[in-house]
């Protein structure tokens, strides 16, 4: 069997003994607690990044002794426990870390030997590219080993290619100096390992690492004219990809709340004939095209008329001044780097020559790319680039087609009222100086003073998703946390910059007049003139408009207005009435206004929809029933007469039908009218509230339909 | 999840745009503006049909003899297309409109009245209403008509209908004083600029298209300079994403040509644990409830699961759309050749949310330009879109459009978007050996580059696949082959390459090796001609073709095969032989 390849095998040696259990400062964390947290973070990072890694955990100073060397030679390598052997990192590793330190102590040098032995012999038929031992101890327990043995071990480690990292104590600090730390330093230096304190490590591991994508070349000949062909390989360099490419779907088992093993999700695509609602099988579906309101069927035979893009290729169209290609021209998906073909020195040489000449002449290439035989061609810009990581190559970015330009028009801004003064510009210049992000952090505290470095910032959304994954794995069933502060920091102005900009901001506020435009509510209460109302109705016969006008009716009871209503208008007669009543006016005070409003609503109406007028009448009538029935009855009498004069019999009929006829004595004893001349059974007051209800609900429905 | 779709939630964007195109044909015999206006309008309508746009467009002629084409009994107008989404019939009608009778006296008021009626009677909800007039501006209407015209025009403006005037002429001329008044009204009483005369149907089409276009913003936001200092801005995309033009495909039933809609059904399937009769246990299918769905991904040997609602919450926990200034950086830090991530946005001031925004925006623009700095900001365009950090780079006239101020919003790639290319670790050493490029080589390369220099314009390439598809559809729909011939703009003129010294290139740089072998092998099996190896040729077919003088039916490779098979001796070798020569060779040998 061919050996499996693994990028890295790591063994973490975590000291859990008595000597690491005491906090260094009062109320601080002990070395053990810090070590445990750090080990957990390292495991988590390895899980999330999903690399080809193996990980093992060795406990130093454990109560039990369990390791290969101890088995081979009983009595040696005591208190060293192989907690997990080398394997793919998993959440259970984090869970199995001991929560309490032991009362024993172990020898760190022995632990190193155990780890080395395990990496060498513990896994079979596996080729390991990088072998790492991470030692987390404070070296308070001496190893009692003579120099000769140490030297021997180091040379053995070197031979096998082991790397020893020490995390935890600062092994270069004068304070911590002891013999064991000196030895540890020797290990680190001789095996080309690394060392860091817990604080530093935790800061470094603050954010997750996404699963890496292997660079896969797209191989093609870059052709310049018919005869020059340079073999090249293009690699994707920058691409916006989701952190988890595809989520799998499963059914929740209601008992365990986890994915069910007996139920699954099935997705089907069904084609339905929109005319007769029958299902059409997919082989009976053909492509069509909607053109000028007609459907043009486009079956296979017509495909011969279609464009043949040709074979996979990358053909130079020409070269143009670098400044001709601007950010606005680019609409591709990410960026690729183009190198001369691997192992083809001549191609690499030719490409390098091309890159240098393009740079010297300040030109870029325009190329036509066919990704694979028959794929639609796309145009790209080929720009020379010398990258910080020493790539000398061409960078390839998609440029737009004419068909993709939207040809937008914007309002003119070079008008006199939009001119800005020099003082205003200077004010912004001051702001720019104050908020220069290349100098955002104090040099003495940070290595890099630049804030928001391009391509070095982590993506807040990606980090949050990975956070959630880690949290859910370790805390199943618990609700997900909010983004942590470390992530939210990525949207905050660095404190130093904020401080520097404060004064300039004050100055800016003074030199510009910026008024927030209140979003105008569709409040037409102020509008009194009849004609405007009707004009709106004529021009916008849409239902949405009517509904907006009617909204207050729905919310009649809670309707409270801040601005005062002067008189009853025609648009919201009912609410106007209510508003004025709130101000203390009586029915008698308001009746003439209300009557005017109702009359103008009916006489001025053009669309034949009298619901608002009738609503107002209903309201007026109900108000009058309470106290002054004759107000209503007297008005109605003259009004009906007038209607008859104007031959508006339809309105009279409506008044009869809608229960807004005269108020009867049975409703209020003050009324002088005993019964309607015609069919009085129709007007039963108890139907009134129901009727209003019905109206409202249908309007609410319409309103939501239109939203 | 794609969050950048152009949906604008402001109610003012409800409905579709309505456009009435008015073509002045009075005294057409003198200037013949009809021909060019007609061509431009045809193109516009065609483009609308191609993209299945939902714009309502009407086309009318005025300055014609009285006709009865108007629905509203307005005589002086010839209505070719009523205000609606143009159909194929409408287009054909417009296309075939070539003759009309010119009016004896020129009236303008009627046609404006007609337009206002058309809008008033349009059944669709219109988001915007505009009248585009294609006319010369030197002949005023007759004296009695002037006053009514102006009052009709201000009526239109008052009812929120825009009037745009496109000045059709091939030369500059003095415009009539009447039109000065007219333009002033059309420009809502503000100062106006006399439209420049244009005389190119594509330019006219572009102008009309711009006037009719809906400017949908991706987002309208308050750009937060500091906590209580905001500028109103709109975020736009000036380009479509590649492939966005291909959306208008529909599916049809092969039998009836009825439109077929496709629905994706998600079902829950239950597997019964029937131990003894596994064959009989049919999986049960029931509709799936969203609450039953789990999303999971395997990490660290375990399934990490989220419910559907959690999944939504994970996607954006960062709150509502926002735009916030973080600081400034020198413009040189943003290199497109290194950091291009995806199509950027365009930022334009929005007076409608905060008055005075344009002034502040312009001041910021000017300050950035003069100091060669870019603003860095955090931006989240939609509730469900990922927040980004980007640079605002001041731009003028983007894509040669008539926009005098604005910022390009450039996406910064996050570290997660950058891929490690661990490719040159081993090759670094190799490459360092080729560090010095010889002078002669550079000379040649530069000669080639200079020879092939072109002037790039953003609109120089048309999507050949899309264009040929449009033509194929139009060939069926309109029965027309002609229109404009299809030119593949992505393929350069081969003549350009005639002068480059490829022989010298080969000599200096070559041999550069073949295309990867694996691929070539595939291609051979792909292209049918080479498939038949030397062993076998169809001799009967050859005989048949020889006798019937149909040798031209063979392809060149097939002919070469025959020559190889028949072991015909070719003195100068087969390479470079023309087809005619090959046929002659075969004929001579076999007869």
């Amino acid at each position: 069997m061919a050996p499996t390849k693994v990028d890295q095998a790591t063994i973490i040696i975590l000291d859990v003994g008595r000597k690491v259990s005491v906090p260094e400062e009062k109320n601080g964390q002990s070395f053990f607690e810090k070590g445990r947290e750090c080990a957990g973070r390292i495991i988590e990072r390895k899980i999330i990044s999903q690399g080809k890694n193996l990980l093992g955990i060795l406990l130093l100073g454990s109560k039990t002794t369990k390791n290969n060397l101890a088995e081979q030679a009983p009595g040696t390598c005591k208190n060293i426990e192989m907690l997990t052997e080398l394997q793919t990192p998993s959440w259970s590793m984090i869970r199995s870390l001991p929560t309490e330190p032991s009362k024993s102590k172990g020898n760190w040098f022995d632990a190193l030997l155990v780890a080395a032995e395990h990496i060498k012999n513990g896994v079979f038929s596996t080729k390991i590219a990088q072998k790492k031992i991470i030692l987390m101890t404070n070296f308070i327990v001496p190893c009692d080993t003579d120099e000769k043995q140490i030297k021997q071990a180091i040379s053995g480690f070197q031979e096998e290619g082991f790397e020893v990292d020490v995390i935890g104590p600062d092994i270069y600090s004068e304070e911590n100096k002891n013999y064991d730390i000196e030895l540890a330093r020797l290990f680190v230096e001789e095996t080309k390992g690394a060392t860091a304190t817990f604080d530093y490590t935790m800061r470094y591991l603050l954010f997750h690492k996404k699963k890496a994508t292997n660079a896969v070349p797209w191989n093609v000949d870059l052709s310049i004219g018919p005869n020059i062909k340079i073999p090249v390989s293009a690699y994707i360099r920058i691409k916006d990809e989701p952190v988890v490419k595809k989520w799998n779907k499963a059914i929740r088992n209601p008992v365990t709340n986890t994915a069910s093993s007996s139920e699954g999700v099935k997705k089907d695509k069904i084609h339905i004939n929109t005319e007769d609602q029958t299902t059409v099988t997919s082989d009976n579906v053909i492509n069509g095209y909607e053109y000028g309101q007609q459907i043009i069927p486009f079956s296979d035979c017509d495909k011969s008329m279609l464009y043949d893009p040709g074979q996979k290729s990358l053909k130079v169209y020409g070269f143009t001044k670098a400044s001709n290609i601007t950010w606005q021209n680019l609409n591709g998906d990410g960026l690729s780097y183009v190198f001369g073909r691997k192992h083809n020195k001549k191609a690499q040489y030719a490409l390098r020559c091309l890159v240098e000449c393009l740079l010297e002449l300040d030109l870029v290439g325009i190329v036509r790319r066919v990704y694979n035989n028959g794929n639609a061609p796309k145009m790209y810009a080929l720009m020379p680039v010398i990258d910080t990581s020493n790539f000398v190559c061409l960078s390839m970015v998609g440029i737009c087609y004419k068909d993709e330009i939207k040809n937008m028009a914007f309002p003119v801004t070079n008008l006199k009222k939009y001119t800005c003064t020099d003082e205003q510009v200077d004010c912004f210049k001051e702001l720019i100086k104050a908020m220069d992000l290349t100098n955002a952090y104090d040099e003495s505290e940070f290595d890099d003073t630049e804030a928001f470095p391009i391509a070095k910032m982590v993506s807040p959304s990606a980090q949050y998703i990975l956070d959630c994954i880690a949290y859910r794995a370790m805390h199943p069933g618990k609700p997900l946390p909010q983004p942590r502060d470390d992530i939210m920091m990525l949207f905050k102005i660095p404190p130093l910059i904020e401080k520097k900009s404060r004064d300039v901001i004050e100055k800016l506020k003074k030199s510009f007049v910026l008024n927030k435009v209140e979003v105008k509510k569709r409040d037409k209460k102020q509008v009194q003139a009849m004609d405007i109302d009707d004009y709106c109705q004529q021009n916008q016969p849409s239902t949405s408009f009517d509904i907006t006008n009617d909204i207050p009716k729905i919310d009649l009871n809670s309707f409270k207005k801040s601005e005062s209503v002067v008189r009853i208008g025609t648009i919201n007669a009912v609410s106007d009435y209510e508003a004025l009543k709130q101000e203390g006016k009586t029915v008698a005070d308001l009746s003439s206004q209300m009557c005017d409003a109702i009359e103008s609503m009916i006489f001025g109406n053009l669309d034949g929809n009298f619901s608002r007028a009738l609503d107002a009448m209903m309201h007026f009538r109900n108000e009058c029933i309470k106290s002054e029935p004759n107000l209503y009855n007297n008005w109605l009498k003259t009004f009906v007469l007038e209607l008859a004069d104007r031959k508006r019999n339809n309105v009279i009929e409506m008044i009869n039908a809608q229960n807004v006829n005269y108020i009867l004595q049975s409703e209020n004893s003050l009324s002088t009218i005993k019964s309607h001349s015609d069919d009085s059974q129709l007007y039963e007051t108890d139907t009134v509230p129901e009727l209003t209800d019905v109206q409202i609900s249908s309007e609410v429905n319409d309103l939501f339909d239109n939203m | 999840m794609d969050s950048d779709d152009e949906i604008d939630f402001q109610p003012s964007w409800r409905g579709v745009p309505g456009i009435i195109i008015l073509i002045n044909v009075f005294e057409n015999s003198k200037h013949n503006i009809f021909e060019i206006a007609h061509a431009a309008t045809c193109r516009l309508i065609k483009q609308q049909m191609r993209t299945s746009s939902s714009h309502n467009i009407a086309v009318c002629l005025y300055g014609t003899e009285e006709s009865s084409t108007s629905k509203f009994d307005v005589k002086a107008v010839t209505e070719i297309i009523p205000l609606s989404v143009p159909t194929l019939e409408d287009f054909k009608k417009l296309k075939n409109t070539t003759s009309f009778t010119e009016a004896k006296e020129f009236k303008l008021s009627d046609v404006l009245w007609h337009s206002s009626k058309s809008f008033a009677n349009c059944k669709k909800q219109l988001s915007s209403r505009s009248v585009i007039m294609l006319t010369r501006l030197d002949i005023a209407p007759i004296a009695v008509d002037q006053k009514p015209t102006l009052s009709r025009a201000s009526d239109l403006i008052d009812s929120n209908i825009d009037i745009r005037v496109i000045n059709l002429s091939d030369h500059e001329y003095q415009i009539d004083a009447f039109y000065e008044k007219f333009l002033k009204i059309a420009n809502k009483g503000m100062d106006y600029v006399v439209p420049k005369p244009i005389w190119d149907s594509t330019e006219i089409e572009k102008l009309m298209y711009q006037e009719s276009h809906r400017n949908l913003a991706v987002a309208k936001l308050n750009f937060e300079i500091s906590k209580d200092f905001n500028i109103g801005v709109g975020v736009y995309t000036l380009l479509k994403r590649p492939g966005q033009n291909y959306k208008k495909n529909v599916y049809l039933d092969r039998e009836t040509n009825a439109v077929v809609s496709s629905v994706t059904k998600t079902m829950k399937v239950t597997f019964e644990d029937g131990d003894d009769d596994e064959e009989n246990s049919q999986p049960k299918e029931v509709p799936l409830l969203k609450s039953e769905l789990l999303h999971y991904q395997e990490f660290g040997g375990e399934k990490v699961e989220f419910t559907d609602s959690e999944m939504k919450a994970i996607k954006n926990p960062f709150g509502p759309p926002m735009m916030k200034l973080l600081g400034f950086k020198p413009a040189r830090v943003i290199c497109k050749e290194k950091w291009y991530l995806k199509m950027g946005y365009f930022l334009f001031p929005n007076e409608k949310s905060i008055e005075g925004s344009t002034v502040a925006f312009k001041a910021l623009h000017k300050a950035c330009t003069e100091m060669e700095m870019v603003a860095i900001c955090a931006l989240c365009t939609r509730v469900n879109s990922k927040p980004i950090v980007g640079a605002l780079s001041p731009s003028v006239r983007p894509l040669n459009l008539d926009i005098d101020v604005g910022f390009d919003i450039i996406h910064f790639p996050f570290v997660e978007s950058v891929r490690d290319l661990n490719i040159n670790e081993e090759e670094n050493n190799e490459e360092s050996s080729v560090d010095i490029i010889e002078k002669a080589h550079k000379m040649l390369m530069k000669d080639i580059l200079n020879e092939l220099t072109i002037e790039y314009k953003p609109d120089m390439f048309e999507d050949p696949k899309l264009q040929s598809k449009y033509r194929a559809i139009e060939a069926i729909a309109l029965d027309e082959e002609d229109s404009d011939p299809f030119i593949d703009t992505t393929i350069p003129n081969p003549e350009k390459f005639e002068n480059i010294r490829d022989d010298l290139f080969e000599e200096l740089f070559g041999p550069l090796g073949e295309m990867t072998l694996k691929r070539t092998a595939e291609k051979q099996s792909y292209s049918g001609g080479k498939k038949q190896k030397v062993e076998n040729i169809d001799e009967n077919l050859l005989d048949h073709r020889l006798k019937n003088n149909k040798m031209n039916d063979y392809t060149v490779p097939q002919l070469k095969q025959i020559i190889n098979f028949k072991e015909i001796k070719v003195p100068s070798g087969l390479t470079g032989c023309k087809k005619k020569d090959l046929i002659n060779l075969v004929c001579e040998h076999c007869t």
Side-chain angles (χ1 to χ4, degrees), chain B residues 57-73:
Chain B
I57 301 181
V59 180
C60 300
L61 304 184
Y62 65 101
T64 52
E65 196 58 56
E66 304 206 333
S67 78
S68 53
T69 51
S70 162
K71 264 193 279 182
F72 313 108
D73 210 28

Side-chain angles (χ1 to χ4, degrees), chain A residues 613-624:
Chain A
L614 292 168
D615 285 343
M617 279 178 79
M618 175 75 76
H619 189 80
F620 184 38
R621 187 175 185 275
N622 287 344
E623 287 294 310
C624 290

Side-chain angles (χ1 to χ4, degrees), chain A residues 47 90-91 95 210 225 227-229 231 237-241 246-248 250-252 258-259 262-264 266-268 270-274 283-286 288-295 307 311 317 319-320 325 328 331-332 334 339 342 344 346 348-349 352 356 360 368 391 395 397 402-404 406-407 409-410 413 429 435 437 450-452 455 457 459 463-465 472 491 505 509 514-515 517 706, chain B residues 6 14 50 52 85 88-89 210 215 226 228 230 237-240 242 245 250 252 254 259-265 267 269 271 285 288 291-292 294-297 299-300 302 305 310-311 314 317 324 328-329 336-338 340-342 352-353 355 362 370 387 404 408 413 415-417 419 424 427 435 438 441-442 446 449 452-454 461 463 467-468 470 473-474 488 490 496-497 502 505 509-510 512 523:
Chain A
I47 294 170
S90 66
W91 303 108
R95 288 184 209 118
K210 193 182 110 172
N227 298 321
I228 298 177
K229 287 184 163 57
R237 170 69 168 166
I238 292 181
K239 198 175 179 194
D240 189 25
E241 286 169 311
K246 195 171 177 275
W247 290 90
N248 299 311
I251 304 285
R252 188 162 54 96
T258 54
S262 63
E263 291 175 318
K266 189 181 162 191
K267 266 196 171 172
D268 270 331
I270 311 171
H271 297 284
I272 294 169
N273 185 329
T274 47
D283 45 330
N284 269 329
V285 171
I286 57 169
Y289 200 90
E290 201 187 320
Y291 189 84
Q293 312 287 296
Q294 276 187 25
I295 302 295
Y307 182 70
Q311 292 184 333
Y317 182 92
F319 296 93
T320 190
I325 302 287
Q328 301 125 10
N331 73 341
F339 297 91
K342 209 171 186 176
N344 185 338
K346 294 230 170 196
Q348 285 167 2
Y349 179 82
R352 174 118 194 184
E356 287 186 15
E360 282 167 33
R368 175 187 189 268
F391 295 132
S395 103
V397 179
K402 183 186 177 189
D403 322 68
E404 286 154 3
K406 284 192 189 167
N407 271 317
F410 287 92
T413 53
K429 283 185 177 171
M435 295 185 81
L437 292 170
E450 186 176 344
F452 308 108
M457 292 172 272
S459 157
Q463 289 297 325
Y464 180 65
I465 291 176
R472 177 50 51 88
F491 295 125
I505 295 278
K509 277 188 215 162
L514 289 166
N515 291 321
V517 179
N706 278 287
Chain B
E6 290 183 30
R14 276 226 195 127
R50 283 176 171 184
S52 297
V85 180
L88 213 60
E89 271 58 52
Q210 274 189 12
N215 272 7
S226 83
D228 38 13
N230 290 286
T237 52
L238 297 180
L239 294 177
K240 292 176 192 170
N245 277 324
V250 287
L252 305 177
R254 192 188 291 276
V259 179
V260 167
S261 67
S262 70
V263 188
T264 312
K265 259 193 176 167
M267 302 293 281
V269 190
F271 306 100
E285 283 186 28
L288 176 77
S291 56
E292 288 181 304
L294 279 183
H295 300 261
Y296 74 91
Q297 183 59 247
F299 277 94
E302 291 168 28
E305 298 161 344
E310 279 174 334
M311 207 61 211
I314 289 178
K324 190 178 165 189
F328 296 88
K329 282 190 185 190
K336 53 181 168 297
E337 62 270 27
K338 283 185 200 164
Y340 174 78
L341 175 68
K342 58 180 180 179
K352 279 180 189 150
S353 63
E355 254 175 61
K362 281 175 93 170
E370 283 174 11
D404 40 39
D408 293 320
V415 69
E416 287 90 350
S417 312
R419 290 193 191 176
N424 59 349
E427 287 192 18
D435 255 350
E438 275 178 51
H441 292 172
K442 273 198 176 177
K446 283 185 182 173
L449 298 187
L452 297 176
T453 303
I454 52 159
F461 301 113
D463 186 343
Q467 289 296 328
S468 60
Y470 286 153
I473 290 160
E474 274 156 18
D488 190 342
T490 62
K496 281 206 304 187
F497 296 98
D502 37 25
F505 185 91
F509 290 96
L512 283 160
K523 240 171 267 155

Side-chain angles (χ1 to χ4, degrees), chain B residues 34 66 110 121 142 147 193 203 308 314 329 360 374 409 433 466 542:
Chain B
F34 174 72
E66 304 206 333
D110 288 346
N121 282 282
I142 49 165
K147 219 174 157 200
V193 191
E203 283 300 308
D308 202 56
I314 289 178
K329 282 190 185 190
V374 291
I409 304 180
S433 62
L466 196 64
L542 178 63

Side-chain angles (χ1 to χ4, degrees), chain A residues 42-53:
Chain A
I42 292 172
I43 301 167
E44 181 187 296
R45 188 177 168 92
K46 286 202 184 290
I47 294 170
I48 296 279
S49 64
Q50 293 174 302
K52 281 185 190 164
N53 293 330

